Amino acid sequence: MHWNTVVPGIVLLGVVIFVHELGHFAMAKWRGVKVLRFSLGFGPALAAFRIGETEYRLSWIPLGGYVHMAGDSPTDDGTMPGSPEEFLSHPWFGRTLIAVAGPAANLIAAYFALVAVGVVGVSYPDYPNVLGATPDTSVAWRAGLREGDRVVGVNGKPVSTWIQIFVTASAAPAGAPVEITVERDGRSLAVQAAPAEREPLMSSLRRPSDPPIVGTVITGMPAYKAGLKEGDRIAAVNGRPIETWDQLPPAVQGEADHEVTLTVERLGRPLTIRVTPINADGGRAGSGRIGIEPLRHGVYIERHSLLESVGMGFRATGALLASVYSGMWLTVSRPLYYREYLGGPMFIAQAASEQARRGLDSYLQFMAMINIAVMSFNLLPIPALDGGHILLAFVQGVRRRAISARGYQRFQRVGLVVIVTLFVFILANDPLRWVQRQRALDRARPQAPPESTIAPAAP
């Protein structure tokens, strides 16, 4: 694994873990609970120092972190701690605040990351400013536009990319006409549309279709496991020829959970790859996806003011919460089917690298998603997680007396078994996914043509 893959993942995981543990740490300090250790990572210390009563350490195993508070487990003689400075002896409401503070910090971090996305600019795939197919029945044809025209101006303002055409047109006052200037055969031509024809004209513009060449293979998706690579040209799906990228989605859309055969050209040689599209939305009639994206021609960046980004951050955070919880439900309801969405450090490092290559906005959005995922996972009412501590605190609040030391230990043992099992499953999924891809790549490796066995003719 190269450094440009490792570094984005290390930075992302480091930020997410630090923010989470900082939430617990700050709330514990504020509530007067002693914090004995603040650790990023588990296991032996790579580096450590002490300030006051707290040891701060960076540990070897980068699978999370922890805040070790005084009295966070029963004493050796099986009794509960007795001082308010100790976690289990602290009032139930205070323990709830401490447990909630970690996930809350991740939620806040996700929001600020999404605000930053608006400020640094949201990037969209952009394309050359050339018109594609223009049927003679379209508004664009009737206005005088033809396939191959290069749009160089809208309402007197120069444009050089596809998205700029529409952004410039939308900036005109409502009800105003539109003028489009194009270059055709070395000549400059201008066409105009009345206000009533403005929207129909703009919506009828089409760009040339992309070739069916794979630009990105999304880690963990079916195409990744099947061995597709960037630069592969998909020539056919189940024997049906594919000439443009736009023909690919319909070809696999109705094939969710059914194996399809792709005829692929790689390094100028044909090969066959079998892939099973996944049901993307979880519904019985959902659209099939294999996890590939087309080549990127360019990028259009849309920046927003800080005030606009603050509002956008709220809306984006809400949408991300809904998406993550929906994904969690699918993973719980159909664990074998959606297990590919589960990933450990290797998976996150690969995904973080993909997003970093796309741009800072994509990386920040991915960081926000991981923060939300960590928040959501930790709020599950499972012993040993924050949600388990919240559940116990609420039980004490309702019963008006603390749970016994024996009951607490049993509760934690159950949680430890669940967490260890889940961690083993997730950690094993990473190398298994990688091995599966390597095997698929080996099977799909183009073979060199055999050397001729015909002896040269005698002179």
Side-chain angles (χ1 to χ4, degrees):
M1 192 175 289
H2 301 293
W3 278 109
N4 60 353
T5 300
V6 174
V7 171
I10 290 176
V11 172
L12 186 144
L13 282 173
V15 169
V16 172
I17 295 168
F18 176 76
V19 164
H20 182 89
E21 301 305 334
L22 183 63
H24 291 311
F25 173 83
M27 185 59 70
K29 288 285 190 179
W30 183 67
R31 293 290 305 179
V33 175
K34 288 184 178 180
V35 178
L36 304 180
R37 180 177 297 156
F38 181 103
S39 177
L40 295 181
F42 297 109
L46 175 63
F49 62 92
R50 179 176 294 276
I51 298 178
E53 66 189 18
T54 307
E55 178 193 38
Y56 302 86
R57 62 160 60 181
L58 180 65
S59 301
W60 276 102
I61 305 174
L63 299 180
Y66 63 93
V67 171
H68 175 33
M69 289 170 277
D72 59 5
S73 60
T75 59
D76 293 338
D77 59 5
T79 60
M80 300 294 277
S83 169
E85 294 182 340
E86 297 175 304
F87 180 71
L88 291 180
S89 302
H90 202 63
W92 72 270
F93 183 70
R95 297 207 312 276
T96 300
L97 290 177
I98 294 171
V100 168
N106 287 124
L107 178 62
I108 294 170
Y111 168 73
F112 279 111
L114 293 171
V115 170
V117 169
V119 174
V120 303
V122 182
S123 62
Y124 299 95
D126 207 350
Y127 305 91
N129 51 330
V130 176
L131 297 183
T134 310
D136 56 11
T137 57
S138 67
V139 177
W141 175 279
R142 293 198 302 268
L145 298 175
R146 299 293 183 266
E147 182 176 1
D149 287 351
R150 181 176 295 277
V151 180
V152 294
V154 175
N155 292 335
K157 297 180 180 179
V159 296
S160 58
T161 72
W162 184 255
I163 292 182
Q164 283 181 353
I165 297 171
F166 298 89
V167 171
T168 306
S170 65
V178 64
E179 180 183 84
I180 297 179
T181 305
V182 300
E183 289 183 352
R184 183 189 304 164
D185 299 328
R187 296 179 297 122
S188 179
L189 304 171
V191 301
Q192 291 186 339
E197 290 290 309
R198 172 177 159 180
E199 290 303 322
L201 172 63
M202 298 307 299
S203 62
S204 71
L205 299 183
R206 297 289 182 270
R207 62 179 182 83
S209 297
D210 288 320
I213 298 175
V214 178
T216 302
V217 179
I218 300 174
T219 300
M221 292 293 283
Y224 177 87
K225 296 192 304 177
L228 277 171
K229 296 177 65 176
E230 295 179 4
D232 285 351
R233 184 185 187 97
I234 300 177
V237 176
N238 286 338
R240 290 174 292 176
I242 298 294
E243 297 178 354
T244 68
W245 184 272
D246 293 339
Q247 294 174 326
L248 273 172
V252 301
Q253 187 173 18
E255 301 293 340
D257 303 332
H258 297 91
E259 185 180 78
V260 298
T261 301
L262 306 180
T263 303
V264 175
E265 295 177 2
R266 179 179 298 170
L267 301 178
R269 299 189 179 95
L271 54 92
T272 298
I273 292 178
R274 292 177 174 82
V275 60
T276 302
I278 193 172
N279 195 334
D281 59 9
R284 293 298 176 184
S287 60
R289 288 184 57 203
I290 62 174
I292 57 174
E293 295 178 352
L295 293 169
R296 283 199 167 196
H297 299 270
V299 174
Y300 177 83
I301 299 178
E302 182 180 57
R303 292 185 173 86
H304 302 270
S305 68
L306 179 59
L307 186 60
E308 290 175 326
S309 299
V310 166
M312 290 173 55
F314 280 113
R315 294 189 294 273
T317 302
L320 196 53
L321 278 166
S323 175
V324 169
Y325 273 105
S326 174
M328 287 180 65
W329 170 246
L330 291 175
T331 304
V332 171
S333 60
R334 302 182 67 186
L336 296 179
Y337 188 84
Y338 289 100
R339 67 185 182 274
E340 298 304 336
Y341 286 99
L342 297 176
M346 183 185 299
F347 178 86
I348 293 176
Q350 288 177 293
S353 176
E354 290 175 4
Q355 301 305 319
R357 288 199 301 269
R358 290 170 178 263
L360 180 58
D361 65 313
S362 295
Y363 184 71
L364 289 171
Q365 289 181 64
F366 185 67
M367 181 179 289
M369 188 196 72
I370 296 299
N371 269 290
I372 296 292
V374 168
M375 179 207 77
S376 305
F377 176 75
N378 274 279
L379 286 177
L380 293 175
I382 298 175
L385 294 181
D386 297 329
H389 288 296
I390 295 170
L391 177 62
L392 286 180
F394 271 111
V395 168
Q396 179 182 340
V398 172
R399 298 173 67 220
R400 297 184 180 277
R401 59 189 178 89
I403 190 171
S404 68
R406 180 174 296 180
Y408 180 86
Q409 289 173 332
R410 289 175 177 172
F411 188 74
Q412 293 299 92
R413 287 194 193 103
V414 171
L416 186 61
V417 172
V418 173
I419 295 301
V420 169
T421 302
L422 186 59
F423 264 58
V424 169
F425 177 75
I426 292 175
L427 294 178
N429 212 22
D430 279 359
L432 287 175
R433 185 188 292 115
W434 183 83
V435 168
Q436 191 171 13
R437 175 166 173 80
Q438 296 307 310
R439 288 177 176 173
L441 289 173
D442 289 339
R443 289 195 301 268
R445 195 183 305 278
Q447 300 296 321
E451 296 182 4
S452 174
T453 57
I454 300 176

